[in-house]
Amino acid sequence: MAGIALYELAGAEDDRRFSPFCWRIHLALLHKGLAFETIPWRFTEKERIAVSGSEKVPVLEDGATVVPDSWAIAEYLDATYPDRPLLDSPMAKAEARFIGAWTERVLQGDLFRLIVTDIEAHLHEKDRAYFRSSREARLGTTLEVFCNRSLEPLRGDLGPLRHSLIAQPFLSGAAPAWADYMVFGAFQWARCVSPLQLLEPSDPVWQWRERMLDAFDGAGRAAKGYAA
Ligand SMILES: N[C@@H](CCC(=O)N[C@@H](CS)C(=O)NCC(=O)O)C(=O)O
């Protein structure tokens, strides 16, 4: 395929794009100012991305090059299109690994428990049985038993993020970059499938998320989802 294409997880509707990892790359491409198209993909369409060697999205196609995995795609984009870096030094890259790990292990863990049944409700019909059986096997219980709407764990775990965002407008400093896209991707995952209000407007994290929703002509805000 000529040009850049990004495979993104979609729900029942083609334009409900709710993967936290795909959102990272969507924003990274906007950050770079690169033209790209997005291709809706469902969990059960493994064969459509088989050439990547991965069973997960995001998958990026750039001409004949195919790259899976959000971190690898970010590295590929910085190596191939060095203008407007996502990670502007080896030290920034090394430190961003911690933010990525925190996002996946802590933040996405808290959010998954809050929104897991909302995710299921927005899936394409063909993905429902796969999602339920794969996640219930991993969780060792049903989605309904695992789901817990208490906001306390999330709000507590947001402490370090909140503390950083009081000191600076973005995690990456004066302007957003890869660390912001990783964390924002998690919030965007929730926003695209769940009406739950996760944050209070007085929270510096809410205010940062507003800045992120406004970035790139409001790309995140325009996405199909909920206003909370
Ligand atoms: N380490 C990968 C994780 C990607 C990932 O987990 N993607 C999910 C969607 S959010 C997926 O495609 N899952 C496929 C499946 O569960 O079968 C990355 O950073 O890109």
Side-chain angles (χ1 to χ4, degrees):
M1 168 173 310
I4 296 178
L6 173 65
Y7 284 85
E8 289 186 326
L9 181 64
E13 312 94 329
D14 274 355
D15 59 347
R16 191 176 301 275
R17 306 292 174 90
F18 64 96
S19 157
F21 300 101
C22 294
W23 269 106
R24 298 175 176 190
I25 299 305
H26 195 109
L27 292 169
L29 290 165
L30 294 173
H31 174 107
K32 291 274 181 196
L34 294 167
F36 64 102
E37 65 168 306
T38 65
I39 302 173
W41 175 89
R42 269 80 189 197
F43 282 116
T44 46
E45 296 177 337
K46 305 292 186 206
E47 78 291 345
R48 289 182 63 208
I49 56 167
V51 62
S52 72
S54 171
E55 297 201 328
K56 297 179 179 181
V57 290
V59 166
L60 187 89
E61 280 181 4
D62 185 4
T65 305
V66 182
V67 189
D69 188 82
S70 61
W71 189 277
I73 297 170
E75 287 183 314
Y76 168 81
L77 290 174
D78 269 350
T80 312
Y81 305 100
D83 282 356
R84 304 185 216 177
L86 296 163
L87 292 160
D88 68 359
S89 70
M91 199 187 286
K93 184 167 161 180
E95 291 169 355
R97 283 194 199 280
F98 178 84
I99 296 174
W102 177 83
T103 301
E104 289 169 35
R105 306 279 171 99
V106 180
L107 178 57
Q108 291 183 185
D110 289 340
L111 290 172
F112 192 54
R113 199 176 267 281
L114 285 162
I115 67 168
V116 63
T117 52
D118 294 324
I119 295 173
E120 202 220 8
H122 286 88
L123 291 176
H124 193 283
E125 211 169 34
K126 68 177 175 183
D127 277 357
R128 291 231 169 119
Y130 167 77
F131 181 81
R132 181 171 286 273
S133 63
S134 59
R135 273 46 181 181
E136 289 187 344
R138 190 197 295 165
L139 298 169
T141 185
T142 63
L143 303 183
E144 287 75 13
V145 168
F146 177 74
C147 187
N148 186 324
R149 300 289 196 176
S150 166
L151 290 167
E152 260 169 60
L154 171 71
R155 297 214 173 148
D157 285 340
L158 288 177
L161 178 65
R162 186 173 294 124
H163 198 69
S164 312
L165 294 169
I166 289 170
Q168 56 198 42
F170 296 98
L171 284 170
S172 302
W178 183 242
D180 297 272
Y181 306 145
M182 289 194 291
V183 179
F184 179 72
F187 283 102
Q188 197 64 347
W189 176 41
R191 189 176 194 274
C192 289
V193 295
S194 177
L196 211 59
Q197 185 181 328
L198 301 172
L199 303 167
E200 295 298 333
S202 58
D203 189 335
V205 180
W206 167 292
Q207 291 150 20
W208 163 82
R209 193 184 53 170
E210 288 293 296
R211 293 192 284 281
M212 294 301 294
L213 287 165
D214 288 338
F216 310 118
D217 298 322
R221 202 184 288 286
K224 191 187 266 323
Y226 293 85

